[in-house]
Amino acid sequence: MEIRDIEIFLTLTEELHFGRTAVRLHVSQARISQAIKEQERRIGGVLFDRSTRRNIRLTPLGEQLRDDLRPVYAGLLESLQKARMAARGVTAVLRIGMLNTNSHDLKPFWSAFRSRHPHCELRLRHSASQDPFGPLRRGDLDVLIAWLPIEEADLTTGPVLFSEPQVLGVGVHHPLAGRDSASLEHLADFGVLSPAAPVPAPWENAFQPFFTPAGREVPRLEVAANWEENIAIVADGAMVTLTGAHATRYNARPDIVYLPFEEERSLRWGLVWRTEMENDLIRGLVQTVGSVGTARL
């Protein structure tokens, strides 16, 4: 098989539908069908059961081939990527996930790191808050930018990149929308959204407290799967949301008003990584952040 044929086969094993596979790979459905028939002819056996009119099913032979090809295909892609990088003089990659959305504000850090480590490709990606530390533990990320403090036994916290005030997001028709500022006591009046998956309590409390300064409990109401769902619920209803002040620029919306707090409340965003995976590149990033210094947004 050629690489494209392997890609077609493995994608079809996931979609189990010729039409969806064609859409996903941006080719015609006839091309998918032709590739699979040719693979079956060369192998001498049927890979997919096509007896149903909707979704197809893998045969035992197809399951065996899928399980054998997955690591081979992943290895091929990795080898090709390494070759492309080597051709550009790149010999290493540092993958950084961000729970924040203001990567542009942090360009001084990225520029300084790239000038000090020209052989390293810096990959910046948004990271979901539902499973914040999972990508680090699975090895999908090398470093995460997250708010502090983080108290996880297997994770190391590095320097602070930036700090910022917190603000309260409310819908334009919310009772608080006409005010110049909000109070932390309003959190108990209206409630906040609950994360879709459990997160460490001290870490959640640093972002949205469980109790107001007066000791009133802050109710967790609806569950929001991600930031987009969070802000849509707030825009549509009576609930409010806390966020960093950078959201006023990077997540501005006509149906949301961001209010500063009367009380002093801020977020600190820093580097975190899996302790046992620390390496020279991570230490290089830490040194770069230390030399550039903490930004106050």
Side-chain angles (χ1 to χ4, degrees), residues 176-253:
L176 297 177
R179 295 173 58 101
D180 294 329
S181 62
S183 168
L184 289 171
E185 296 302 322
H186 288 134
L187 302 179
D189 297 331
F190 297 103
V192 298
L193 288 114
S194 179
V199 297
W203 191 64
E204 181 183 354
N205 186 65
F207 196 92
Q208 51 182 27
F210 292 104
F211 296 93
T212 70
R216 300 164 64 203
E217 184 176 0
V218 177
R220 266 62 175 165
L221 303 175
E222 286 190 53
V223 173
N226 49 49
W227 168 255
E228 289 75 17
E229 186 173 345
N230 179 322
I231 208 70
I233 294 172
V234 170
D236 185 54
M239 275 179 291
V240 299
T241 187
L242 287 95
T243 187
H246 73 264
T248 63
R249 292 181 295 124
Y250 290 87
N251 302 108
R253 290 173 50 130

Side-chain angles (χ1 to χ4, degrees), residues 83-159:
R84 294 188 191 101
M85 290 166 52
R88 305 197 316 268
V90 176
T91 59
V93 175
L94 188 65
R95 303 161 300 170
I96 300 178
M98 299 178 294
L99 296 180
N100 53 307
T101 57
N102 60 330
S103 176
H104 180 74
D105 290 335
L106 309 182
K107 284 187 69 175
F109 296 111
W110 315 143
S111 298
F113 179 84
R114 287 176 172 129
S115 66
R116 296 181 181 195
H117 304 273
H119 66 287
C120 179
E121 180 179 296
L122 200 60
R123 292 182 186 169
L124 305 172
R125 300 290 185 268
H126 179 68
S127 193
S129 59
Q130 303 95 300
D131 180 24
F133 310 127
L136 287 176
R137 289 170 171 146
R138 292 191 299 270
D140 298 332
L141 289 176
D142 302 305
V143 179
L144 177 68
I145 299 175
W147 68 85
L148 305 176
I150 294 172
E151 303 170 359
E152 298 291 295
D154 60 330
L155 302 179
T156 295
T157 299

